[in-house]
Amino acid sequence: MVNNGFIFDIKRYAVHDGPGIRTTIFLKGCPLRCWWCHNPEGISQAKALMFFEYKCMQCKTCVGVCPTGAISFENGVHHIDRLRCNNCGICSEACPTEALRHAGEIITIEELMKEIEKDILLYDNSGGGVTFSGGEPLSQHKFLRQALRECKKRDIHTVLDTSGYASPDVFSTVLDYVDMFLYDLKLADNEDHRKYTGVSNGLIKDNLRMLVDTGRGHDVILRFPVIPGITDTEKNVDGLVKFVSSLKGINEIDLLPFHDISEKYNRLGIEYKMPVHQAPPQEKLKYIKERFEEIGLYVKI
């Protein structure tokens, strides 16, 4: 049994991560490197140092406490040498305005369940529960499985928000403890998927087929990130429509329109690969919605 997990956020009163009012637990670590990732602080399984420029009052406390000399001010501009930084957390603890923050903390199963249990009345009154997101929660599958089991012991509804990228053996270990899957489908073509996410889509498709074959299709809501010039092309929409048409029991797909979060990447000091910064036009969303409705799916944007 794994008792410790690594999380980077707990979001309460979530209403878009499954039915009812939910508590969403964000686990660190993800094998994908999607160009448009909205939670880049959750990709690495190490702590991620973020700098919020608008909070900085240039007191230079961080410069004085940094044991590796990774922080400096150059011409009045705050600078972090990411190669020298060892993510010790001393600077973020010392910063008086929280302009520096480390995303990521160790939490035990017992601590996590205490946080979850604070919201049980909300779950009961709204038909909600707990959603595990990330990152990719299956990157910490042993901790995830234990947390899901503890939720089921308390009769708490569980949702897994996943890319589906895990070995079938790993994926199957959590199936009995998940009430609903929010399952990402990004790109139909394998080479396109490798280019824009860093991994093949083979496991993702295989695990989704496994869910359907076990009669769990009705427990799956597909999620399609609509990324201008990448996932919203006619070629990709055609490919996904064809693939989803081959699956039995899938009733719903949610369209997730792209929005620019380049500022978050700046705070982390990592490259933002997206060549566009505009949300997809309403005409494009309407077209994609109609394409999936043609094969009998309920579509939400």
Side-chain angles (χ1 to χ4, degrees):
M1 183 178 73
V2 175
N3 197 55
N4 292 339
F6 201 21
I7 67 171
F8 64 95
D9 198 10
I10 296 177
K11 182 173 71 175
R12 301 188 184 281
Y13 309 108
V15 295
H16 299 295
D17 298 333
I21 299 173
R22 313 193 67 80
T23 303
T24 303
I25 314 298
F26 292 86
L27 279 70
K28 277 185 70 66
C30 183
L32 278 67
R33 297 295 183 269
C34 303
W35 287 21
W36 56 88
C37 178
H38 284 182
N39 292 325
E41 71 273 36
I43 295 175
S44 170
Q45 288 196 345
K47 287 184 177 182
L49 178 59
M50 304 181 73
F51 173 63
F52 297 80
E53 183 179 7
Y54 71 94
K55 292 184 177 183
C56 180
M57 62 181 186
Q58 299 196 5
C59 66
K60 301 183 181 179
T61 299
C62 53
V63 177
V65 300
C66 179
T68 64
I71 303 177
S72 61
F73 277 83
E74 300 174 5
N75 298 320
V77 178
H78 188 279
H79 176 71
I80 303 171
D81 185 337
R82 300 281 176 172
L83 295 178
R84 297 178 71 175
C85 175
N86 63 4
N87 280 317
C88 65
I90 294 175
C91 62
S92 57
E93 292 174 3
C95 181
T97 62
E98 297 185 342
L100 289 165
R101 181 171 71 84
H102 273 88
E105 63 176 306
I106 298 292
I107 193 168
T108 67
I109 286 291
E110 293 78 14
E111 291 168 339
L112 179 60
M113 295 313 300
K114 284 181 181 178
E115 291 297 317
I116 289 171
E117 288 170 349
K118 293 176 182 179
D119 295 334
I120 281 183
L121 285 178
L122 288 175
Y123 311 152
D124 292 342
N125 292 332
S126 70
V130 177
T131 299
F132 293 91
S133 186
E136 170 50 62
L138 290 166
S139 293
Q140 298 185 57
H141 63 275
K142 292 181 180 179
F143 179 79
L144 172 66
R145 183 173 184 268
Q146 184 64 18
L148 289 166
R149 289 180 63 183
E150 292 300 319
C151 286
K152 299 316 295 178
K153 287 179 183 178
R154 294 160 175 79
D155 200 28
I156 296 173
H157 185 273
T158 57
V159 169
L160 180 60
D161 182 5
T162 179
S163 68
Y165 189 82
S167 72
D169 289 343
V170 165
F171 195 79
S172 63
T173 62
V174 304
L175 294 187
D176 291 340
Y177 307 104
V178 178
D179 293 309
M180 177 180 287
F181 294 83
L182 302 179
Y183 202 105
D184 281 6
L185 279 184
K186 301 176 177 71
L187 290 151
D189 181 78
N190 192 44
E191 290 309 308
D192 288 342
H193 202 279
R194 285 185 183 276
K195 176 180 178 179
Y196 292 110
T197 74
V199 301
S200 166
N201 62 11
L203 284 174
I204 294 167
K205 289 182 175 181
D206 289 347
N207 284 328
L208 184 53
R209 289 191 189 97
M210 178 173 66
L211 270 179
V212 171
D213 290 345
T214 58
R216 297 287 301 274
H218 62 282
D219 298 326
V220 179
I221 297 177
L222 299 178
R223 286 190 151 185
F224 175 45
V226 183
I227 313 300
I230 298 177
T231 70
D232 69 346
T233 65
E234 186 170 352
K235 168 193 170 186
N236 189 52
V237 174
D238 285 347
L240 289 180
V241 166
K242 181 178 179 180
F243 173 65
V244 175
S245 297
S246 71
L247 304 174
K248 296 180 180 179
I250 301 291
N251 300 313
E252 181 177 334
I253 186 167
D254 294 348
L255 307 185
L256 310 179
F258 167 80
H259 62 272
D260 181 63
I261 57 161
S262 54
E263 183 59 34
K264 184 179 281 191
Y265 283 74
N266 291 335
R267 291 169 182 168
L268 288 160
I270 58 179
E271 179 188 6
Y272 189 54
K273 291 185 176 182
M274 282 299 297
V276 298
H277 301 276
Q278 302 297 320
Q282 289 301 310
E283 295 80 9
K284 178 71 73 171
L285 293 173
K286 182 175 181 292
Y287 165 74
I288 296 173
K289 180 175 184 289
E290 291 173 349
R291 290 297 312 278
F292 284 111
E293 286 175 338
E294 288 172 359
I295 60 172
L297 294 186
Y298 171 66
V299 184
K300 287 199 305 184
I301 300 177

